[in-house]
Amino acid sequence: MKRLLPLLLSCALLAGCGAGQASPSAGTDADTQYFFAMDTIMSITAYDGDTSAALVAAQQEVNRLEALWSRTRPESDVSRLNDHAGDGTAVPIQPETARLLETAAAAAQESGLAFDPVLAPVMDAWGFGLTESETTAVHRVPSQEELSALLPLTRDLPQVTAGEDGSYTAALPLTGQAADLGGIAKGASAAYVVDALTAHGVENAILSLGGNITALGHRPDGQPFRVLVTDPLASEDGYLCTIALEGGLTCSTSGGYERYFESDGVTYHHIIDPSTGYPAQSGLLSVTTVAADPALADAWSTALFVLGPDRALELWRSGEGTVAGMELILVTQGQQVYVTQGLEEGLQFHGEEAGYTYEIVRR
């Protein structure tokens, strides 16, 4: 089961709690909405504007996007796309789906398929691809022969076509392919939620959308929101550090402890390396990304977990590409924590007693 306290998920929920504990400024009443969507718990706290109407509109927006992007809803854009995989059909899709597919494809190409939006057949083979409410989601270790047959289906990305009339279609080129946008959809939904909030006069809010935390504005005291980053080895609540999350940024984390199962004494986690079909063995326990684009923060936290610490820092130091514009927290299996320099101000490290050491990484 996915824990609600991974670097990503715990960051999210605890950021909301921290924001709620801040002392409101005069005339400001925080209003929080909790709800279940996209197979996870979400919360939104708004500090100003027409909070009641804003939170209703925000939840409705998430529900609308889920109806478009869910793999398990038969009439969703993604389900219809998967139903016609390999048959040559150009499936009509909504503009929001087209943008998400294009963003996912760009992240996949830039990461060398470390993030793969068509990894669903392999995820299903492990039992990680379906929601936990599905009785058919049985965790198991697939054979090498099965994975070898499925991996070719994860190489060709969805093809999106824009019509002259502003419409969009999409197609999957190979029979047996399936898109699953769960690794990017929750992050992507944050941008739409922010629009819904600001349309109702909200200027300051904290969003926890399945573990992706997005800050709008600042806390009522004028300071940045504070986010607690969880110790991925802690059996109970334990935190590595606290970071400041400026308005307009999203914090997203991927960790192998979020969802896993054990078989014959071996633990298998849900972050699959698309190059092998097996759980990634990159030397990392978790990756946190902080970025202006919430969809890319979501996708790259997974990609960098697969790529490992050396490649992650190489991309960050390069000064070019998507990762160079992000800030990172990398937690290794050796309990070394790498924090990139943009997070140094406002960082409070709490991991010493648990055996962690940390380093500020500079360009």
Side-chain angles (χ1 to χ4, degrees):
M1 176 177 290
K2 180 179 286 189
R3 291 174 54 191
L4 293 181
L5 293 175
L7 262 167
L8 157 52
L9 297 182
S10 63
C11 276
L13 297 178
L14 292 170
C17 292
Q21 293 169 0
S23 299
S25 57
T28 299
D29 294 319
D31 196 357
T32 301
Q33 180 84 349
Y34 297 93
F35 56 99
F36 189 86
M38 297 186 179
D39 198 38
T40 191
I41 297 172
M42 298 186 172
S43 69
I44 304 170
T45 299
Y47 293 92
D48 47 28
D50 186 350
T51 58
S52 295
L55 293 176
V56 169
Q59 182 175 349
Q60 289 175 339
E61 191 68 351
V62 173
N63 293 338
R64 181 183 72 86
L65 296 171
E66 183 176 17
L68 294 177
W69 298 341
S70 170
R71 185 184 163 207
T72 59
R73 297 191 181 188
E75 298 305 315
S76 75
D77 284 357
V78 171
S79 288
R80 292 186 296 104
L81 174 63
N82 292 343
D83 288 344
H84 290 282
D87 70 4
T89 300
V91 177
I93 58 174
Q94 293 300 309
E96 296 91 336
T97 307
R99 285 193 288 271
L100 184 57
L101 286 171
E102 290 172 340
T103 301
Q109 291 168 341
E110 187 178 355
S111 68
L113 289 182
F115 171 78
D116 191 342
V118 290
L119 193 61
V122 174
M123 296 290 288
D124 290 349
W126 286 90
F128 289 125
L130 301 175
T131 64
E132 292 174 5
S133 61
E134 296 282 348
T135 58
T136 53
V138 178
H139 294 134
R140 64 184 181 88
V141 181
S143 67
Q144 184 59 61
E145 291 76 14
E146 183 179 2
L147 292 176
S148 295
L150 293 174
L151 283 172
L153 300 176
T154 69
R155 308 301 188 223
D156 291 6
L157 298 171
Q159 301 165 352
V160 177
T161 302
E164 294 183 358
D165 60 354
S167 63
Y168 292 89
T169 60
L172 288 170
L174 303 177
T175 301
Q177 278 192 297
D180 187 335
L181 301 177
I184 191 172
K186 298 178 189 68
S189 64
Y192 296 92
V193 170
V194 166
D195 287 344
L197 293 173
T198 56
H200 289 83
V202 175
E203 297 181 353
N204 303 287
I206 189 76
L207 288 56
S208 171
L209 305 183
N212 298 276
I213 313 166
T214 298
L216 171 62
H218 48 71
R219 299 190 311 186
D221 61 5
Q223 297 299 310
F225 289 100
R226 304 290 294 170
V227 175
L228 286 169
V229 177
T230 297
D231 176 359
L233 293 177
S235 57
E236 298 180 358
D237 294 358
Y239 310 112
L240 287 180
C241 61
T242 307
I243 62 172
L245 190 64
E246 299 285 349
L249 296 179
T250 292
C251 171
S252 181
T253 303
S254 290
Y257 55 92
E258 294 171 354
R259 295 166 61 194
Y260 59 89
F261 70 95
E262 293 185 4
S263 178
D264 295 329
V266 179
T267 299
Y268 299 92
H269 63 73
H270 76 293
I271 304 179
I272 302 299
D273 184 341
S275 68
T276 66
Y278 281 86
Q281 298 296 323
S282 65
L284 287 169
L285 294 174
S286 63
V287 173
T288 297
T289 57
V290 178
D293 187 318
L296 291 177
D298 199 358
W300 275 99
S301 65
T302 298
L304 295 178
F305 186 98
V306 171
L307 292 172
D310 292 343
R311 181 58 177 153
L313 292 177
E314 179 184 358
L315 290 170
W316 181 80
R317 284 189 171 111
S318 71
E320 300 178 355
T322 300
V323 178
M326 298 182 175
E327 299 300 335
L328 312 176
I329 301 175
L330 310 177
V331 184
T332 74
Q333 292 177 348
Q335 294 188 271
Q336 175 70 33
V337 181
Y338 296 101
V339 183
T340 57
Q341 65 188 52
L343 297 175
E344 183 175 13
E345 184 176 355
L347 173 71
Q348 295 179 334
F349 190 72
H350 313 300
E352 295 94 339
E353 292 186 1
Y356 288 92
T357 58
Y358 81 98
E359 174 185 338
I360 301 297
V361 181
R362 307 185 190 281
R363 287 193 172 96

